[in-house]
């Protein structure tokens, strides 16, 4: 395995090319009786001056592939949320938030714009995979403890506040994507205006 890897390496290819030059020098009579040393020396010199092998870049998923995985996770999250009983106010906020997330993740041109914004993909991923499940799960666990210790602050308030903050974050992302498209449209208008001059 290592031998075949070396045979295909840049060092061997460069060394072989220089070694062939040594054979040409031998056949033209320039190398004389020292031709084996000349060929070996030129091979070694070629192998030394060849650029080093560069390891291949890691094969990270493309933003589109990341969005496909995120859609699957969003589906899992939806199945989880369907099983959780929430107070009406929190349930309403959750419906608004999941509706907006669903629209952003829906395949089409919106997702294509989102895929070109790595920070936006990261933000959406964090909301779907971490923040939203954590907010709901913490509410469910805290609600049980609240029943054991009446008179404490109801966990519904925290959940509603968390859902509001996540909604605002999703709306900021939506506004940023809309702004990106608006700038693109303005750039195209300027391009057409400049071309018509």
């Amino acid at each position: 395995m290592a031998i075949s890897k070396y045979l295909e390496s840049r060092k061997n290819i460069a060394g072989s090319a220089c070694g062939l030059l040594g054979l040409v020098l031998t056949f033209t009579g320039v190398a004389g009786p020292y031709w084996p040393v000349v060929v070996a020396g030129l091979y070694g010199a070629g192998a030394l001056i060849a650029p080093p092998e560069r390891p291949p870049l890691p094969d990270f998923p493309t933003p589109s592939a990341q969005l496909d995985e995120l859609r699957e996770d969003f589906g899992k999250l939806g199945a989880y949320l369907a099983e959780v009983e929430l107070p009406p106010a929190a349930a309403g906020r959750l419906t608004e938030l999941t509706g907006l997330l669903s629209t952003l993740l829906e395949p089409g041109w919106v997702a294509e714009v989102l895929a070109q914004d790595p920070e936006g993909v990261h933000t959406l991923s964090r909301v779907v995979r971490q923040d939203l499940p954590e907010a709901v799960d913490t509410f469910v666990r805290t609600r049980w403890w609240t029943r054991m210790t009446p008179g404490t602050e109801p966990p519904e308030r925290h959940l509603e506040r968390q859902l509001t903050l996540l909604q605002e974050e999703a709306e900021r992302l939506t506004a940023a994507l809309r702004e990106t498209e608006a700038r693109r449209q303005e750039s195209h208008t300027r391009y057409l205006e400049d071309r018509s001059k």
Side-chain angles (χ1 to χ4, degrees):
M1 184 77 170
I3 294 173
S4 68
K5 189 173 181 181
Y6 178 76
L7 290 175
E8 298 171 357
S9 71
R10 293 179 186 179
K11 290 190 174 295
N12 183 47
I13 293 171
S16 298
C18 290
L20 285 174
L21 177 64
L23 288 175
V24 169
L25 292 175
T26 299
F27 290 127
T28 58
V30 176
Y34 302 107
W35 70 268
V37 175
V38 171
V39 171
L42 285 173
Y43 176 87
L48 286 175
I49 63 169
E53 291 295 321
R54 189 176 52 118
L57 289 171
D59 186 21
F60 294 122
T62 63
S64 296
Q66 290 176 341
L67 283 180
D68 290 340
E69 293 174 10
L70 191 54
R71 280 186 200 100
E72 289 179 25
D73 291 345
F74 184 65
K76 294 175 190 173
L77 177 64
Y80 163 73
L81 294 175
E83 296 180 18
V84 178
E85 184 181 328
L86 297 177
R93 290 186 191 275
L94 182 63
T95 301
E96 290 178 25
L97 175 58
T98 55
L100 180 55
L101 295 176
S102 176
T103 302
L104 288 170
L105 286 170
E106 185 176 321
W109 67 270
V110 174
E112 290 171 12
V113 174
L114 177 61
Q116 295 173 17
D117 180 10
E119 187 61 36
V121 172
H122 173 71
T123 299
L124 203 56
S125 175
R126 190 180 57 221
V127 169
V128 169
R129 293 178 172 146
Q130 179 182 339
D131 296 335
L132 184 52
E134 178 72 15
V136 174
D137 185 57
T138 304
F139 164 76
V140 170
R141 288 183 283 130
T142 307
R143 180 175 56 181
W144 185 85
W145 286 105
T146 304
R147 292 176 184 158
M148 303 292 286
T149 54
T152 58
E153 184 178 13
E156 291 86 7
R157 288 189 194 152
H158 286 287
L159 178 61
E160 289 172 24
R161 181 68 183 132
Q162 290 168 2
L163 293 175
T164 300
L165 292 170
L166 292 173
Q167 175 82 18
E168 290 170 359
E169 187 174 27
E171 288 171 353
R172 283 193 301 273
L173 173 59
T174 304
L177 295 174
R178 183 176 55 241
E179 182 64 29
T180 299
E181 285 300 286
R183 281 196 307 270
R184 182 174 166 218
Q185 184 183 35
E186 290 169 9
S187 295
H188 190 61
T189 302
R190 281 195 300 273
Y191 163 73
L192 293 174
E193 288 172 348
D194 292 343
R195 196 173 73 179
S196 64
K197 290 179 182 176

